[in-house]
Amino acid sequence: MSIFPVVVIAGCALWAAITDVSKFKVYNYLTIPCFVGGLVYGALMYGLSGFLFGLGGALLGLGILIMPYLMGGLGAGDVKFVMAIGTWLGPVLLLPAIIIGCIATGMYSLVLISRQGGFRGAWLNLRLMFMRLSTIGKHLTFEDDFEAVQSVAQRDDRRGRLIPFSAMVSVGIAAAIVMHFVFGIGLMGKQ
C-alpha cells in the first residue's frame, strides 16, 4: 500500500484540527478537495471498488453526524470534514475514528464544564438541542422558554462552550491510522 493516502489523511486532519481549535471552523477549501481527491484516488487506483469504498465512508460519516448537526450540536464544516476523510478511510476505519473522536469530545467537554463550573450552561445547551430535535418536521412553534434557554446559552462565553469536534475526530483518525498499521485493518487496497 502506498503511503500517499496516509500522508493526505494526516495532513487534512492536522489542518482541520488547527483551524477548528483556533477559529472553530473547518473550511471548504480543505473539505471539498479532500472529498473529491479521496473519490478520485480510489477510482484511479482501485476502479469501481475503490470509488465505492470512498463513497461508503462518506455516506457513513453523513449518516452518523446528520442528526447531531440538525440538532445544532455540530457545524456543517465538521460534517463535511468527516465525510471527506471518510472517502480516504472508508467505512471500516471511519467508524472507530468517529467513536474515538466522540470519546475525546466527551472528555474535553467534562474538562470544560468542570473547569468553568458551567453545569447550568451545559444543561441549558442540552435542553436547547432537545427542543430543536423535538421540532424537526413540525412547524417552528417553540415553547415560551425556548427563547429564555437560547438567550442564556448565547450569553455564555462562546469559546468556553464550543467544542472543536473536528479536532477531536482528528484524534480518532490518528488512532485509526495506527489500527491500520498495527492490525492491518483496511485503508484502500486492504478492503
Side-chain angles (χ1 to χ4, degrees), residues 23 34 55 59 80 103 127 139 154 175 177 180 184:
K23 298 178 182 168
C34 183
L55 187 61
L59 291 175
K80 289 183 277 187
I103 292 169
R127 287 181 55 204
H139 296 288
Q154 288 175 346
I177 291 172
H180 167 70

Side-chain angles (χ1 to χ4, degrees), residues 86-153:
T87 64
W88 292 90
L89 287 178
V92 173
L93 284 179
L94 185 64
L95 184 59
I98 292 172
I99 291 170
I100 293 167
C102 288
I103 292 169
T105 300
M107 292 172 23
Y108 184 88
S109 300
L110 289 175
V111 168
L112 277 181
I113 290 170
S114 65
R115 192 180 87 209
Q116 297 179 352
F119 288 101
R120 180 175 184 266
W123 173 247
L124 292 173
N125 281 330
L126 285 173
R127 287 181 55 204
L128 178 62
M129 285 175 49
F130 177 75
M131 286 180 201
R132 286 179 179 160
L133 178 62
S134 66
T135 60
I136 290 176
K138 297 179 184 177
H139 296 288
L140 295 178
T141 56
F142 301 112
E143 298 175 13
D144 289 339
D145 65 323
F146 176 81
E147 285 79 18
V149 170
Q150 190 173 28
S151 67
V152 170

Side-chain angles (χ1 to χ4, degrees), residues 150-166:
Q150 190 173 28
S151 67
V152 170
Q154 288 175 346
R155 280 194 307 256
D156 290 344
D157 176 32
R158 185 172 186 222
R159 181 162 285 283
R161 66 181 178 85
L162 291 180
I163 296 170
F165 183 73
S166 290

